[in-house]
């Protein structure tokens, strides 16, 4: 029977191929943010559950590690196909769990989870390592062996999308995984464990432990047999994980927060820049680490762009995530909504003018108790104020005028974060200069969120350490060993 057929789901951990209740017997509630209703009971797992998962993973590792690439390809490809077959069901779960519009989950989140597995299934086939000759006498080559058991910890904003973005390369490189999804969006991770069982994915190779960050998450980081941890989430959590991992000399990949600039020059392709800026501001309720939250506009077109952006933002329908006309769904939780509203209040205190939005939205009907925030555009704030420096992670953007390229760059780089940046200009040379000088791991020119999965993904400064994507993830999840032979 499918998960959506139940009104209340009791989630189980997936350990050694078996659904396992938490050892403590404790659960907490999973809430649908669009309705405020409890949808599921989530295992409140702790170190004992993580211990069981690591031990199942260790037992499964020798067979998984020594599989031929083609066999590993088949296993990962089967997961991709299993997700594809359940697209509608998974999209509905993701939308209910996270508050995002159903059409978005169906067109972006779940298809991307399919791509993550199919992309890294292919990587398992093609991955190789280098060799070097020193004249005719010496040959050196590099072995790239999997690490063993690795941890994957992911956030709530793109639940299955980011969960599988870590799991897929870890498995492709020959590791066994203990993965912890966000406590607020566990449903599609649970469904993934059902798919793994359905397609006969080898038991113990992928283990999923549900629970809270401070208990289950930290136990994954602290376990002496997790050889690496791939983490996506907030900068504060990332710092804590980096500290814990450093003491153990454990490899970490940290994909953290952002305060991304969206820089619009006067020669930008105007309509496209405007349309895409609306999307990069409010897609997924502004809860994408790559959303552009600071919109820098060249002074000569500032007023026109501001007025057009405000008009477009006002026209976005905030409402029931199941309604196909909804453009902005619910934010992920009541506490997150309060955090977003507190930043809007701070913007007022800091002298900002709220041009549109700025408040909670009441949605009638089944969503009357949901957590909805109106798309909000603010102007008049100094680039250095808290609202322009700290990550809000909601449907809130600020507008900042700039005089020239130099000033745009200085404002763009004047934050502690460095995840992504978007530049709108028709001037080829300027585009290259900006791409070179922006302090960001990802730069888009005249586009946004267009991803080639072969390119490195990640941030600099307080936005993280290490890169995911393409070969970078395969390198992260393997240990190089140099072998030199005197011939
Ligand atoms: P959090 O940092 O709160 O949580 C992320 C994950 O870490 C969750 O699974 C969480 O569990 C877990 N966790 C929390 N504390 C610990 C701990 N001490 N040890 C181990 N694990 C822990 O982030 P959010 O879920 O709130 O996600 C939003 C953040 O993620 C934003 O800052 C956003 O910018 C960032 N992000 C970054 C991306 C990137 O690629 N750079 C992409 C997407 C989001 P629990 O859910 O139980 O708290």
């Amino acid at each position: 029977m499918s998960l959506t057929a139940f009104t209340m789901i009791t989630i189980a951990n997936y350990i050694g191929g078996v659904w396992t209740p938490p050892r403590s017997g404790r659960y907490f509630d999973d809430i649908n943010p669009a309705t405020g209703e409890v949808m599921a009971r989530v295992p409140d797992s702790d170190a004992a559950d993580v211990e069981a998962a690591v031990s199942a993973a260790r037992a499964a590792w020798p067979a998984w590690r020594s599989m031929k690439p083609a066999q590993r390809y088949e296993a990962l490809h089967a997961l991709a196909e299993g997700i594809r077959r359940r697209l509608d069901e998974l999209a509905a779960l993701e939308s209910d769990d996270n508050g995002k519009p159903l059409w978005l989950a169906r067109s972006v989140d779940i298809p991307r989870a399919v791509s993550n597995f199919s992309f890294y299934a292919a990587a398992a086939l093609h991955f190789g390592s280098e060799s070097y000759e020193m004249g005719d006498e010496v040959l050196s080559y590099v072995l790239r062996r999997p690490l063993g058991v690795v941890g994957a910890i992911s956030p709530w904003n793109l639940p299955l999308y980011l969960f599988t973005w870590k799991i897929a390369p870890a498995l492709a490189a020959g590791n066994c995984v203990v993965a912890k999804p966000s406590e607020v969006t566990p449903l599609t991770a649970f469904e993934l464990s059902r798919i793994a069982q359905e397609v006969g994915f080898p038991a113990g190779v992928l283990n999923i432990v549900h629970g809270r960050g401070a208990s289950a998450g930290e136990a994954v980081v602290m376990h002496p047999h997790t050889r690496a941890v791939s983490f996506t989430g907030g900068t504060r959590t990332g710092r804590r994980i980096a500290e814990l991992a450093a003491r153990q000399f454990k490899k970490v990949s940290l994909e953290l927060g952002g305060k991304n600039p969206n820089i619009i020059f006067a020669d930008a392709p105007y309509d496209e820049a405007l349309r895409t800026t609306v999307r990069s501001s409010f897609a997924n309720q502004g809860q994408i680490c790559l959303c552009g939250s600071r919109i820098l506009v060249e002074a000569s077109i500032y007023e026109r762009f501001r007025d057009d952006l405000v008009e477009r933002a006002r026209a976005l329908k905030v409402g029931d995530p199941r309604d196909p006309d909804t453009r902005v769904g619910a934010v992920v939780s009541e506490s997150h909504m309060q955090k977003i509203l507190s930043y809007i209040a701070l913007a007022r205190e800091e002298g900002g003018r709220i041009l549109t939005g700025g408040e909670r939205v009441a949605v009638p009907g089944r969503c009357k108790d949901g957590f909805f925030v109106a798309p909000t555009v603010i102007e008049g704030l100094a680039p250095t104020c808290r609202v322009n420096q700290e990550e809000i992670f909601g449907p809130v953007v600020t507008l900042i005028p700039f005089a020239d390229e130099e000033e745009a760059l200085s404002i763009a780089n004047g934050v502690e974060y460095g995840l992504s940046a978007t530049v709108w200009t028709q001037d080829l040379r300027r585009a290259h200069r900006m791409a070179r000088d922006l302090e960001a791991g990802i730069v888009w020119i005249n586009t946004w969120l267009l991803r080639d999965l072969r390119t490195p993904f990640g941030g600099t400064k307080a936005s993280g350490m290490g890169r995911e994507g393409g070969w970078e993830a395969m390198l992260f999840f393997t240990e190089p060993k140099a072998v030199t032979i005197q011939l």
Side-chain angles (χ1 to χ4, degrees):
M1 187 183 285
S2 84
L3 272 181
T4 43
F6 293 98
T7 45
M8 169 74 105
I9 302 156
T10 296
I11 288 177
N13 292 327
Y14 186 62
I15 297 177
V18 177
W19 286 296
T20 314
R23 310 261 147 155
S24 66
R26 287 194 309 269
Y27 290 83
F28 55 84
D29 290 341
D30 179 30
I31 291 171
N32 178 332
T35 63
E37 286 163 358
V38 177
M39 286 189 303
R41 298 168 70 227
V42 188
D44 192 358
S45 308
D46 57 26
D49 303 289
V50 170
E51 179 61 49
V54 172
S55 130
R58 292 185 75 202
W61 190 47
W64 182 249
R65 174 187 63 196
S66 46
M67 260 190 187
K68 294 197 169 70
Q71 292 170 300
R72 230 181 267 147
Y73 164 85
E74 289 295 343
L76 291 173
H77 183 65
L79 284 179
E81 287 307 307
I83 296 172
R84 196 196 305 275
R85 277 195 296 278
R86 299 269 195 92
L87 187 129
D88 286 335
E89 193 183 338
L90 285 162
L93 287 170
E94 203 74 297
S95 168
D96 281 353
D97 216 7
N98 172 277
K100 66 180 69 206
L102 179 57
W103 60 263
L104 185 67
R106 194 184 277 136
S107 59
V108 175
D109 291 71
I110 310 304
R112 175 58 189 272
V114 174
S115 306
N116 289 342
F117 277 118
S118 52
F119 180 86
Y120 278 108
L125 285 180
H126 295 280
F127 189 53
S129 55
E130 63 272 49
S131 67
Y132 305 92
E133 287 178 304
M134 248 186 214
D136 290 339
E137 303 299 321
V138 182
L139 170 66
S140 296
Y141 60 89
V142 181
L143 283 174
R144 281 230 160 240
R145 309 283 290 165
L147 301 172
V149 179
V150 298
I153 301 176
S154 59
W156 48 257
N157 62 326
L158 300 164
L160 192 65
Y161 174 137
L162 290 175
F163 195 56
T164 54
W165 182 231
K166 302 185 171 306
I167 291 170
L171 294 174
N175 301 282
C176 288
V177 176
V178 175
K180 192 202 89 66
S182 167
E183 68 180 64
V184 279
T185 52
L187 292 184
T188 47
F190 180 42
E191 189 65 6
L192 179 65
S193 66
R194 293 160 62 95
I195 292 169
Q197 205 181 57
E198 201 173 275
V199 304
F201 196 75
V205 173
L206 169 61
N207 304 276
I208 300 175
V209 179
H210 296 269
R212 301 179 199 273
S215 41
E218 221 159 290
V220 171
V221 179
M222 290 305 292
H223 197 289
H225 288 122
T226 51
R227 299 280 315 277
V229 174
S230 174
F231 168 81
T232 299
T235 293
R236 190 188 303 165
T237 317
R239 184 170 289 123
R240 165 92 185 142
I241 289 174
E243 284 165 4
L244 295 175
R247 284 188 230 149
Q248 311 166 69
F249 304 111
K250 192 170 286 191
K251 242 178 160 179
V252 281
S253 158
L254 303 171
E255 303 299 335
L256 311 177
K259 192 74 182 172
N260 309 316
N262 195 348
I263 306 164
I264 298 148
F265 286 96
D267 69 344
Y270 189 88
D271 292 342
E272 228 179 302
L274 179 64
R275 202 172 45 243
T276 306
T277 301
V278 173
R279 210 161 58 81
S280 68
S281 302
F282 305 118
N284 207 41
Q285 298 67 248
Q287 302 166 138
I288 303 179
C289 52
L290 304 165
C291 276
S293 51
R294 295 178 297 147
I295 304 174
L296 280 52
V297 188
E298 191 162 356
S300 60
I301 59 161
Y302 179 82
E303 274 153 32
R304 177 181 169 212
F305 192 88
R306 174 195 65 193
D307 295 349
D308 287 343
L309 180 71
V310 167
E311 191 189 319
R312 300 270 185 126
R314 267 195 202 122
L316 294 172
K317 181 175 175 189
V318 181
D320 188 336
R322 291 186 186 170
D323 178 347
D325 294 330
T326 289
R327 286 295 161 273
V328 177
V331 298
V332 78
S333 64
E334 182 165 21
S335 61
H336 192 58
M337 176 181 71
Q338 295 306 347
K339 176 189 158 188
I340 295 166
L341 295 174
S342 77
Y343 270 104
I344 295 171
L346 177 64
R348 288 193 173 97
E349 278 168 38
E350 290 185 320
R353 284 183 298 285
I354 315 292
L355 302 175
T356 184
E359 76 254 314
R360 183 177 183 173
V361 177
V363 173
R366 89 176 182 106
C367 294
K368 66 179 178 1
D369 297 321
F371 315 127
F372 296 87
V373 177
T376 300
V377 180
I378 306 171
E379 74 168 355
L381 289 169
T384 50
C385 75
R386 279 185 55 203
V387 169
N388 271 329
Q389 292 286 319
E390 298 174 16
E391 185 183 48
I392 302 173
F393 217 53
V396 179
V397 291
T398 60
L399 281 162
I400 308 172
F402 66 84
D404 55 21
E405 194 177 315
E406 195 186 339
E407 192 186 13
L409 199 59
S410 140
I411 297 171
N413 289 341
V415 292
E416 65 166 334
Y417 295 106
L419 186 53
S420 72
T422 303
V423 181
W424 291 92
T425 180
Q426 314 253 33
D427 180 334
L428 183 67
R429 285 187 255 192
R430 172 157 64 198
H432 282 295
R433 280 195 301 273
M434 293 296 286
R436 183 194 60 204
D437 295 336
L438 279 162
E439 294 168 359
I442 302 153
V443 177
W444 279 294
I445 312 283
N446 297 337
T447 184
W448 175 72
L449 208 61
L450 185 59
R451 288 273 301 127
D452 182 327
L453 299 188
R454 294 169 298 185
T455 58
F457 178 87
T460 175
K461 295 158 70 179
S463 291
M465 259 167 64
R467 293 292 184 273
E468 299 186 302
W471 293 132
E472 296 280 342
M474 298 295 279
L475 297 178
F476 174 74
F477 285 118
T478 51
E479 186 77 42
K481 184 186 286 178
V483 181
T484 298
I485 311 175
Q486 173 76 59
L487 299 172

